[in-house]
Amino acid sequence: MSLGYAEKLSYREDVGTVGMSEIFDPPDVLQQKIEELAILIQKSKHLVAFTGAGISTSCGIPDFRGPKGVWTLQRAGKGVPEASLPFHRAMPSLTHMALVELERAGILKFVISQNVDSLHLRSGIPREKLAELHGNSFRELCPSCGTEYLRDFEVETIGMKETSRRCADTKCGAKLKDTVLDWEDALPPKEMNLAEKHCRTADIVLCLGTSLQITPACNLPLKTIRSGGEIVIVNLQVIAGAMHLLNLRIPPYIRIDFVQLSLSHSPKKKTYVKWNLRIASVHGQRAPLPFLKSVEVSFPERPDLKTAFLQKQPFYLKRETLRKRPFKMLLTFNFSDGCGCPCTTIEWPINFQVTKDNLVRDKNEVLPELGDAANMESHSGQHAVLERKVNPRSEVTVYAIVTNIRRYNGPEEANGVLEITPNGNSNLIKRYGEGVNGGQTSQKRPKWT
């Protein structure tokens, strides 16, 4: 059976992780294939990406189901490789972000992934344009009402078992389940149906970081062949070069995490007030805050109030102060390993005389502005209030905090230095920045979730 351009573009990205040998072409051959891929992408009417472990191993995430994968070695009773950083702090690779730009430009229609690392969702691929065939270690599902919950921490179970949390819908409240498949579990029908639909419609399927050996997922691209489409197997270096030729700039990855500050208080006679500070996850008070290592609470204008060092989750502080005397609380968040900066500081004004004050800001406005600021300043640590609710006996404020920023400057980041020198075929490539009629194409605004 013909695999279309698979013979011409016979690459693997990081294929050593899935038990195959790497192939390196001379520069002129590599250049030719980069240009061929760029032309294929440009001419495609329904481009689909099919991704495997190879696009994530460069992010510090090991392969799981391949011949040398973590789960494979565990089943054989062998030692498993250690991750180079915490799973929850892994950042999308250049390939992940290239797919995001292709989707924003309206070129990429759908992504099918065998990975469970949530990097496609973190990178910015919309959920409705993604099928996660083997589940997601950071996603929970309500089996009763079907609501999905994307977490910033790794769910504690696999095999679609019940977790320790319940559905937040007050009309439901069912126990949630993890979404990661065990070895014998059937692929989820919802994800498979969408994947099959797009593979049948696709004229091009880009296979990235996969050996196409894990069944039954590996049979999906064959549906494209049967419908008259083509399969293209490429590596990171080739996709980076093609993006360059198409004049599509790979966007930076900016990670935004969330934290909830809760202050409950009760009067002690008429002069003093007892108050309790809790720093918790927006996913619930018992959920972990994986991006925080410790919190320092100080009171710069109140030398009579002693600084507190909170080093164990849940972060909790209990104090007693004058009721009618406002003060400023300074919260220094010390980030965990894998974050882009060591800490950030939030100033929180406290006034027990205020009994009612509500603020809800549009996340679709706040988060892009926060990301733009981090991008312009070239560092993380920026923060903004998303919502605040003040009642007579409590105050709850939710902050969004930039905890990572990573740029992808171009093809030179892909496995060494790659010079793009278009040859005679390059005039076939219409640069997407010019649009069909020579005008500028509109770019979708980044989505920060």
Side-chain angles (χ1 to χ4, degrees), residues 133-153:
L133 301 182
H134 295 155
N136 185 326
S137 292
F138 296 83
R139 178 162 52 87
E140 291 177 285
L141 176 69
C142 177
S144 179
C145 68
T147 302
E148 292 185 345
Y149 297 87
L150 187 63
R151 308 302 190 184
D152 55 8
F153 55 89

PDB file of all heavy atoms in Angstrom, residues 133-153:
ATOM      1  N   LEU A 133      -6.310  10.071  22.210  1.00  0.00           N
ATOM      2  CA  LEU A 133      -6.741   8.680  22.099  1.00  0.00           C
ATOM      3  C   LEU A 133      -6.464   7.866  23.347  1.00  0.00           C
ATOM      4  O   LEU A 133      -7.203   6.933  23.669  1.00  0.00           O
ATOM      5  CB  LEU A 133      -6.057   8.023  20.897  1.00  0.00           C
ATOM      6  CG  LEU A 133      -6.321   8.669  19.534  1.00  0.00           C
ATOM      7  CD1 LEU A 133      -5.612   7.888  18.440  1.00  0.00           C
ATOM      8  CD2 LEU A 133      -7.818   8.753  19.248  1.00  0.00           C
ATOM      9  N   HIS A 134      -5.378   8.178  24.063  1.00  0.00           N
ATOM     10  CA  HIS A 134      -5.013   7.409  25.248  1.00  0.00           C
ATOM     11  C   HIS A 134      -5.336   8.148  26.548  1.00  0.00           C
ATOM     12  O   HIS A 134      -4.935   7.717  27.622  1.00  0.00           O
ATOM     13  CB  HIS A 134      -3.526   7.042  25.205  1.00  0.00           C
ATOM     14  CG  HIS A 134      -3.194   6.117  24.074  1.00  0.00           C
ATOM     15  ND1 HIS A 134      -1.937   6.040  23.507  1.00  0.00           N
ATOM     16  CD2 HIS A 134      -3.966   5.231  23.388  1.00  0.00           C
ATOM     17  CE1 HIS A 134      -1.951   5.150  22.520  1.00  0.00           C
ATOM     18  NE2 HIS A 134      -3.167   4.654  22.437  1.00  0.00           N
ATOM     19  N   GLY A 135      -6.052   9.271  26.427  1.00  0.00           N
ATOM     20  CA  GLY A 135      -6.430  10.025  27.600  1.00  0.00           C
ATOM     21  C   GLY A 135      -5.467  11.145  27.910  1.00  0.00           C
ATOM     22  O   GLY A 135      -4.619  11.528  27.098  1.00  0.00           O
ATOM     23  N   ASN A 136      -5.594  11.686  29.127  1.00  0.00           N
ATOM     24  CA  ASN A 136      -4.802  12.839  29.551  1.00  0.00           C
ATOM     25  C   ASN A 136      -4.590  12.738  31.059  1.00  0.00           C
ATOM     26  O   ASN A 136      -5.555  12.665  31.819  1.00  0.00           O
ATOM     27  CB  ASN A 136      -5.547  14.134  29.192  1.00  0.00           C
ATOM     28  CG  ASN A 136      -4.755  15.387  29.486  1.00  0.00           C
ATOM     29  OD1 ASN A 136      -3.995  15.451  30.445  1.00  0.00           O
ATOM     30  ND2 ASN A 136      -4.947  16.406  28.669  1.00  0.00           N
ATOM     31  N   SER A 137      -3.336  12.726  31.476  1.00  0.00           N
ATOM     32  CA  SER A 137      -3.011  12.589  32.897  1.00  0.00           C
ATOM     33  C   SER A 137      -3.464  13.768  33.730  1.00  0.00           C
ATOM     34  O   SER A 137      -3.450  13.707  34.967  1.00  0.00           O
ATOM     35  CB  SER A 137      -1.496  12.406  33.072  1.00  0.00           C
ATOM     36  OG  SER A 137      -1.076  11.169  32.557  1.00  0.00           O
ATOM     37  N   PHE A 138      -3.853  14.852  33.085  1.00  0.00           N
ATOM     38  CA  PHE A 138      -4.265  16.060  33.796  1.00  0.00           C
ATOM     39  C   PHE A 138      -5.755  16.355  33.598  1.00  0.00           C
ATOM     40  O   PHE A 138      -6.204  17.441  33.942  1.00  0.00           O
ATOM     41  CB  PHE A 138      -3.434  17.255  33.312  1.00  0.00           C
ATOM     42  CG  PHE A 138      -1.964  17.131  33.624  1.00  0.00           C
ATOM     43  CD1 PHE A 138      -1.128  16.398  32.801  1.00  0.00           C
ATOM     44  CD2 PHE A 138      -1.425  17.727  34.750  1.00  0.00           C
ATOM     45  CE1 PHE A 138       0.221  16.266  33.077  1.00  0.00           C
ATOM     46  CE2 PHE A 138      -0.076  17.599  35.044  1.00  0.00           C
ATOM     47  CZ  PHE A 138       0.746  16.869  34.206  1.00  0.00           C
ATOM     48  N   ARG A 139      -6.476  15.398  33.065  1.00  0.00           N
ATOM     49  CA  ARG A 139      -7.894  15.624  32.792  1.00  0.00           C
ATOM     50  C   ARG A 139      -8.746  14.595  33.517  1.00  0.00           C
ATOM     51  O   ARG A 139      -8.466  13.403  33.488  1.00  0.00           O
ATOM     52  CB  ARG A 139      -8.149  15.563  31.277  1.00  0.00           C
ATOM     53  CG  ARG A 139      -9.605  15.727  30.875  1.00  0.00           C
ATOM     54  CD  ARG A 139      -9.757  16.095  29.400  1.00  0.00           C
ATOM     55  NE  ARG A 139      -9.043  15.190  28.519  1.00  0.00           N
ATOM     56  CZ  ARG A 139      -9.538  14.054  28.033  1.00  0.00           C
ATOM     57  NH1 ARG A 139     -10.768  13.667  28.385  1.00  0.00           N
ATOM     58  NH2 ARG A 139      -8.837  13.300  27.206  1.00  0.00           N
ATOM     59  N   GLU A 140      -9.807  15.095  34.166  1.00  0.00           N
ATOM     60  CA  GLU A 140     -10.802  14.234  34.816  1.00  0.00           C
ATOM     61  C   GLU A 140     -12.129  14.358  34.084  1.00  0.00           C
ATOM     62  O   GLU A 140     -12.419  15.389  33.465  1.00  0.00           O
ATOM     63  CB  GLU A 140     -10.977  14.622  36.282  1.00  0.00           C
ATOM     64  CG  GLU A 140      -9.775  14.312  37.154  1.00  0.00           C
ATOM     65  CD  GLU A 140      -9.974  14.779  38.586  1.00  0.00           C
ATOM     66  OE1 GLU A 140      -9.890  15.991  38.835  1.00  0.00           O
ATOM     67  OE2 GLU A 140     -10.218  13.932  39.451  1.00  0.00           O
ATOM     68  N   LEU A 141     -12.948  13.334  34.211  1.00  0.00           N
ATOM     69  CA  LEU A 141     -14.235  13.303  33.517  1.00  0.00           C
ATOM     70  C   LEU A 141     -15.332  12.886  34.485  1.00  0.00           C
ATOM     71  O   LEU A 141     -15.152  11.957  35.284  1.00  0.00           O
ATOM     72  CB  LEU A 141     -14.173  12.320  32.347  1.00  0.00           C
ATOM     73  CG  LEU A 141     -15.463  12.093  31.560  1.00  0.00           C
ATOM     74  CD1 LEU A 141     -15.842  13.347  30.774  1.00  0.00           C
ATOM     75  CD2 LEU A 141     -15.303  10.905  30.607  1.00  0.00           C
ATOM     76  N   CYS A 142     -16.459  13.585  34.396  1.00  0.00           N
ATOM     77  CA  CYS A 142     -17.623  13.171  35.173  1.00  0.00           C
ATOM     78  C   CYS A 142     -18.383  12.131  34.360  1.00  0.00           C
ATOM     79  O   CYS A 142     -18.901  12.445  33.274  1.00  0.00           O
ATOM     80  CB  CYS A 142     -18.523  14.359  35.476  1.00  0.00           C
ATOM     81  SG  CYS A 142     -20.028  13.881  36.380  1.00  0.00           S
ATOM     82  N   PRO A 143     -18.480  10.902  34.842  1.00  0.00           N
ATOM     83  CA  PRO A 143     -19.175   9.851  34.083  1.00  0.00           C
ATOM     84  C   PRO A 143     -20.677  10.061  34.026  1.00  0.00           C
ATOM     85  O   PRO A 143     -21.358   9.437  33.211  1.00  0.00           O
ATOM     86  CB  PRO A 143     -18.832   8.576  34.862  1.00  0.00           C
ATOM     87  CG  PRO A 143     -18.569   9.037  36.257  1.00  0.00           C
ATOM     88  CD  PRO A 143     -17.968  10.402  36.136  1.00  0.00           C
ATOM     89  N   SER A 144     -21.199  10.945  34.870  1.00  0.00           N
ATOM     90  CA  SER A 144     -22.638  11.160  34.925  1.00  0.00           C
ATOM     91  C   SER A 144     -23.100  12.227  33.937  1.00  0.00           C
ATOM     92  O   SER A 144     -23.964  11.980  33.103  1.00  0.00           O
ATOM     93  CB  SER A 144     -23.055  11.557  36.348  1.00  0.00           C
ATOM     94  OG  SER A 144     -24.443  11.803  36.416  1.00  0.00           O
ATOM     95  N   CYS A 145     -22.492  13.425  34.011  1.00  0.00           N
ATOM     96  CA  CYS A 145     -22.947  14.525  33.149  1.00  0.00           C
ATOM     97  C   CYS A 145     -21.990  14.824  32.004  1.00  0.00           C
ATOM     98  O   CYS A 145     -22.299  15.621  31.117  1.00  0.00           O
ATOM     99  CB  CYS A 145     -23.180  15.794  33.965  1.00  0.00           C
ATOM    100  SG  CYS A 145     -21.675  16.535  34.655  1.00  0.00           S
ATOM    101  N   GLY A 146     -20.798  14.199  32.009  1.00  0.00           N
ATOM    102  CA  GLY A 146     -19.859  14.360  30.906  1.00  0.00           C
ATOM    103  C   GLY A 146     -18.956  15.571  30.987  1.00  0.00           C
ATOM    104  O   GLY A 146     -18.180  15.823  30.061  1.00  0.00           O
ATOM    105  N   THR A 147     -19.024  16.322  32.075  1.00  0.00           N
ATOM    106  CA  THR A 147     -18.174  17.507  32.216  1.00  0.00           C
ATOM    107  C   THR A 147     -16.709  17.113  32.368  1.00  0.00           C
ATOM    108  O   THR A 147     -16.385  16.174  33.103  1.00  0.00           O
ATOM    109  CB  THR A 147     -18.598  18.348  33.443  1.00  0.00           C
ATOM    110  OG1 THR A 147     -19.973  18.720  33.294  1.00  0.00           O
ATOM    111  CG2 THR A 147     -17.752  19.608  33.566  1.00  0.00           C
ATOM    112  N   GLU A 148     -15.817  17.826  31.671  1.00  0.00           N
ATOM    113  CA  GLU A 148     -14.386  17.582  31.771  1.00  0.00           C
ATOM    114  C   GLU A 148     -13.739  18.632  32.666  1.00  0.00           C
ATOM    115  O   GLU A 148     -14.145  19.799  32.675  1.00  0.00           O
ATOM    116  CB  GLU A 148     -13.727  17.628  30.388  1.00  0.00           C
ATOM    117  CG  GLU A 148     -14.125  16.484  29.480  1.00  0.00           C
ATOM    118  CD  GLU A 148     -13.359  16.513  28.168  1.00  0.00           C
ATOM    119  OE1 GLU A 148     -12.750  17.558  27.851  1.00  0.00           O
ATOM    120  OE2 GLU A 148     -13.348  15.490  27.471  1.00  0.00           O
ATOM    121  N   TYR A 149     -12.718  18.212  33.402  1.00  0.00           N
ATOM    122  CA  TYR A 149     -11.962  19.114  34.272  1.00  0.00           C
ATOM    123  C   TYR A 149     -10.481  18.980  33.953  1.00  0.00           C
ATOM    124  O   TYR A 149      -9.894  17.918  34.131  1.00  0.00           O
ATOM    125  CB  TYR A 149     -12.207  18.774  35.745  1.00  0.00           C
ATOM    126  CG  TYR A 149     -13.650  18.962  36.187  1.00  0.00           C
ATOM    127  CD1 TYR A 149     -14.584  17.932  36.024  1.00  0.00           C
ATOM    128  CD2 TYR A 149     -14.076  20.163  36.735  1.00  0.00           C
ATOM    129  CE1 TYR A 149     -15.909  18.104  36.408  1.00  0.00           C
ATOM    130  CE2 TYR A 149     -15.397  20.344  37.124  1.00  0.00           C
ATOM    131  CZ  TYR A 149     -16.308  19.312  36.962  1.00  0.00           C
ATOM    132  OH  TYR A 149     -17.618  19.491  37.334  1.00  0.00           O
ATOM    133  N   LEU A 150      -9.880  20.069  33.451  1.00  0.00           N
ATOM    134  CA  LEU A 150      -8.452  20.073  33.158  1.00  0.00           C
ATOM    135  C   LEU A 150      -7.718  20.633  34.367  1.00  0.00           C
ATOM    136  O   LEU A 150      -7.977  21.754  34.816  1.00  0.00           O
ATOM    137  CB  LEU A 150      -8.160  20.927  31.924  1.00  0.00           C
ATOM    138  CG  LEU A 150      -6.722  20.876  31.415  1.00  0.00           C
ATOM    139  CD1 LEU A 150      -6.363  19.467  30.950  1.00  0.00           C
ATOM    140  CD2 LEU A 150      -6.514  21.875  30.288  1.00  0.00           C
ATOM    141  N   ARG A 151      -6.785  19.851  34.921  1.00  0.00           N
ATOM    142  CA  ARG A 151      -6.079  20.211  36.152  1.00  0.00           C
ATOM    143  C   ARG A 151      -4.672  20.721  35.867  1.00  0.00           C
ATOM    144  O   ARG A 151      -4.109  20.456  34.794  1.00  0.00           O
ATOM    145  CB  ARG A 151      -5.993  18.992  37.087  1.00  0.00           C
ATOM    146  CG  ARG A 151      -7.326  18.302  37.371  1.00  0.00           C
ATOM    147  CD  ARG A 151      -8.348  19.242  37.983  1.00  0.00           C
ATOM    148  NE  ARG A 151      -9.520  18.518  38.471  1.00  0.00           N
ATOM    149  CZ  ARG A 151     -10.594  19.113  38.980  1.00  0.00           C
ATOM    150  NH1 ARG A 151     -10.653  20.432  39.052  1.00  0.00           N
ATOM    151  NH2 ARG A 151     -11.616  18.396  39.411  1.00  0.00           N
ATOM    152  N   ASP A 152      -4.105  21.426  36.840  1.00  0.00           N
ATOM    153  CA  ASP A 152      -2.703  21.827  36.744  1.00  0.00           C
ATOM    154  C   ASP A 152      -1.804  20.860  37.509  1.00  0.00           C
ATOM    155  O   ASP A 152      -0.610  21.082  37.639  1.00  0.00           O
ATOM    156  CB  ASP A 152      -2.501  23.259  37.256  1.00  0.00           C
ATOM    157  CG  ASP A 152      -3.025  23.462  38.677  1.00  0.00           C
ATOM    158  OD1 ASP A 152      -3.399  22.463  39.324  1.00  0.00           O
ATOM    159  OD2 ASP A 152      -3.045  24.618  39.144  1.00  0.00           O
ATOM    160  N   PHE A 153      -2.373  19.772  37.992  1.00  0.00           N
ATOM    161  CA  PHE A 153      -1.619  18.724  38.670  1.00  0.00           C
ATOM    162  C   PHE A 153      -1.968  17.384  38.026  1.00  0.00           C
ATOM    163  O   PHE A 153      -3.021  17.218  37.419  1.00  0.00           O
ATOM    164  CB  PHE A 153      -1.941  18.671  40.163  1.00  0.00           C
ATOM    165  CG  PHE A 153      -3.416  18.515  40.470  1.00  0.00           C
ATOM    166  CD1 PHE A 153      -3.991  17.260  40.579  1.00  0.00           C
ATOM    167  CD2 PHE A 153      -4.224  19.627  40.646  1.00  0.00           C
ATOM    168  CE1 PHE A 153      -5.339  17.105  40.851  1.00  0.00           C
ATOM    169  CE2 PHE A 153      -5.580  19.489  40.925  1.00  0.00           C
ATOM    170  CZ  PHE A 153      -6.140  18.227  41.028  1.00  0.00           C
TER     171      PHE A 153
END
